Amino acid sequence: MYKTTEIASSEIASDNPIHQRLLFPYLHVSHLVSGDVLEIGCGTGRGVGVLAPQVSNYTGVDKNTELMQELSKNYPSFTFIDMFLPPLKDLPSNHYDFVVTFQVIEHIENDDFFLQEAARVLKPGGKLYLTTVNKKFSLTRNPWHVREYEAKGLQNLMEKHFSTVITEGIHGNAKVMDYYEENKKSVQKITRFDILNLQYRLPRTWLQVPYDIANRMSRLIVSKANNQLVDSIQVDDYSLNQTPDTSFDFFYTGIK
């Protein structure tokens, strides 16, 4: 679980641009959340320390026993639950002031039920903050993702469960775009060998390990070729904008 490139590490130099990109929404919502907060898919706890000073109560859920036990030791005043999603089993309705779920919905088989459950546990007027990758910026098929979204499709899905949906995006500056283009070239060097287009023809679960190997290789190639660029990217090289369709990630707010 810790080794997959789906979990960009702050401790692996070549992961730095992705780590900073994933850290950005936590820093952004740290100025917005308060009260009782639920994080769906808290993973390794990248954002727990960022959110901790702002909340009265924090509950994190994810489907990894080891991670939940480790986070419980690190944050004994918070609650961490090992849970396969959805449903949000045994979590009360109309309870949380905010629900945070970053880069999770693309991994969920029943995304409609996932959003229904997120809305259920929110108090009336409560807010869901959600990010997911913009399909238009994916460089190859990601077999860890059940699906990826385009801007309007995700908006329509969220509007089924929330009275108001605010659509924004997370994008990078020129430095980040330089990294994106370098990574794109690296990926193309690897995928050119897929002459049978197997990445789209084989079951996605068969491709997860090969994808991780190729993805790690691609990041290392870029890091070795331009280590200064990879190391220099920081969280403030990313920003929120009003054009999700042209952004790396969607940042959507659902208000119950």
Side-chain angles (χ1 to χ4, degrees), residues 232-250:
S232 69
I233 292 174
Q234 298 299 316
V235 69
D236 56 7
D237 289 313
Y238 296 91
S239 60
L240 203 66
N241 62 46
Q242 307 306 309
T243 55
D245 193 54
T246 61
S247 302
F248 288 132
D249 298 317
F250 305 131

Side-chain angles (χ1 to χ4, degrees), residues 91-246:
L91 294 187
S93 300
N94 305 307
H95 179 77
Y96 296 97
D97 298 292
F98 296 90
V99 172
V100 173
T101 183
F102 294 154
Q103 306 295 332
V104 175
I105 193 171
E106 66 271 18
H107 298 275
I108 303 297
E109 290 284 351
N110 192 338
D111 54 352
D112 186 73
F113 186 32
F114 177 81
L115 290 173
Q116 177 183 320
E117 280 288 273
R120 176 184 66 81
V121 300
L122 276 169
K123 294 177 180 177
K127 294 180 179 180
L128 167 75
Y129 294 122
L130 178 150
T131 69
T132 188
V133 65
N134 181 355
K135 183 178 181 179
K136 292 183 177 181
F137 279 86
S138 291
L139 299 177
T140 185
R141 181 190 181 187
N142 185 330
W144 292 98
H145 294 174
V146 175
R147 81 198 65 73
E148 292 178 351
Y149 300 88
E150 294 188 357
K152 189 61 178 177
L154 180 58
Q155 179 182 345
N156 291 341
L157 183 63
M158 289 186 63
E159 286 176 345
K160 292 175 60 178
H161 303 287
F162 296 90
S163 61
T164 301
V165 176
I166 302 168
T167 59
E168 298 171 294
I170 299 171
H171 206 54
N173 59 16
K175 188 194 302 184
V176 173
M177 289 308 298
D178 285 345
Y179 170 79
Y180 176 80
E181 291 301 326
E182 289 296 319
N183 195 38
K184 184 177 181 179
K185 292 175 186 176
S186 177
V187 169
Q188 289 172 341
K189 288 179 181 178
I190 296 171
T191 57
R192 75 181 190 272
F193 296 107
D194 184 18
I195 58 176
L196 298 178
N197 205 28
L198 295 178
Q199 63 170 309
Y200 293 104
R201 297 173 63 183
L202 293 175
R204 65 182 185 86
T205 53
W206 293 14
L207 297 167
Q208 288 170 348
V209 171
Y211 170 84
D212 274 340
I213 294 171
N215 202 17
R216 177 63 61 207
M217 185 186 305
S218 177
R219 292 180 188 178
L220 286 171
I221 289 171
V222 177
S223 183
K224 289 180 179 178
N226 198 337
N227 184 63
Q228 183 176 358
L229 173 63
V230 171
D231 286 350
S232 69
I233 292 174
Q234 298 299 316
V235 69
D236 56 7
D237 289 313
Y238 296 91
S239 60
L240 203 66
N241 62 46
Q242 307 306 309
T243 55
D245 193 54
T246 61

